[in-house]
Amino acid sequence: MYKNFFKPIFDITSALIGLVLLFPIFFVVTVFLFFANDGKPFFFQLRPGKGGKIFKIIKFKTMNDRKDAQDNLLPDDQRLTKVGEFVRKTSLDEIPQLLNVIVGDMSIVGPRPLLTVLR
């Protein structure tokens, strides 16, 4: 009963409260990253969820998409923006995951979704 009824209610309620309280920070970081990343403040990545179901995790995008002359992405340290560096150090890049919790892809308390394995 806890797993199927109380935990989802706790997760959604906690995520909604967190999103409301953190909305001013969410908004400011989104605006700064919008300008730092040429209009792309969010980063989406496929991750396995409960039962192996794949979902798109959302985070703040801390690196730009700059490429070299051969059209390859530059190394991470050259693409990390100043705003992105601050967002990572303060773990603000995790705030958008509250949206994943609200839609039921993740839980407030539980294992961290791992990266998917490409085959």
Side-chain angles (χ1 to χ4, degrees):
M1 183 163 167
Y2 166 77
K3 197 181 218 180
N4 295 324
F5 182 74
F6 291 111
K7 189 167 185 345
I9 290 173
F10 169 77
D11 286 341
I12 292 169
T13 303
S14 300
L16 283 171
I17 291 169
L19 203 54
V20 168
L21 293 175
L22 295 172
F23 184 76
I25 295 169
F26 183 92
F27 180 76
V28 169
V29 171
T30 301
V31 169
F32 276 100
L33 288 174
F34 179 86
F35 290 108
N37 295 321
D38 301 321
K40 299 176 186 174
F42 299 106
F43 170 74
F44 300 91
Q45 189 174 48
L46 296 177
R47 299 276 180 105
K50 186 175 180 180
K53 179 185 169 208
I54 303 296
F55 71 97
K56 281 187 182 179
I57 198 168
I58 181 172
K59 296 177 93 170
F60 281 125
K61 187 174 182 178
T62 57
M63 292 191 286
N64 59 36
D65 295 325
R66 289 190 298 173
K67 297 181 179 184
D68 62 15
Q70 289 77 35
D71 208 34
N72 298 313
L73 286 173
L74 293 173
D76 290 354
D77 62 328
Q78 293 180 26
R79 296 187 302 126
L80 183 63
T81 65
K82 294 289 183 192
V83 176
E85 187 175 3
F86 173 78
V87 168
R88 279 189 181 182
K89 281 184 182 177
T90 56
S91 294
L92 295 174
D93 59 329
E94 309 290 337
I95 293 174
Q97 291 178 43
L98 292 172
L99 297 171
N100 288 113
V101 173
I102 291 169
V103 299
D105 292 332
M106 292 176 57
S107 177
I108 291 287
V109 178
R112 181 174 177 82
L114 302 172
L115 293 171
T116 55
V117 178
L118 299 175
R119 296 174 195 213

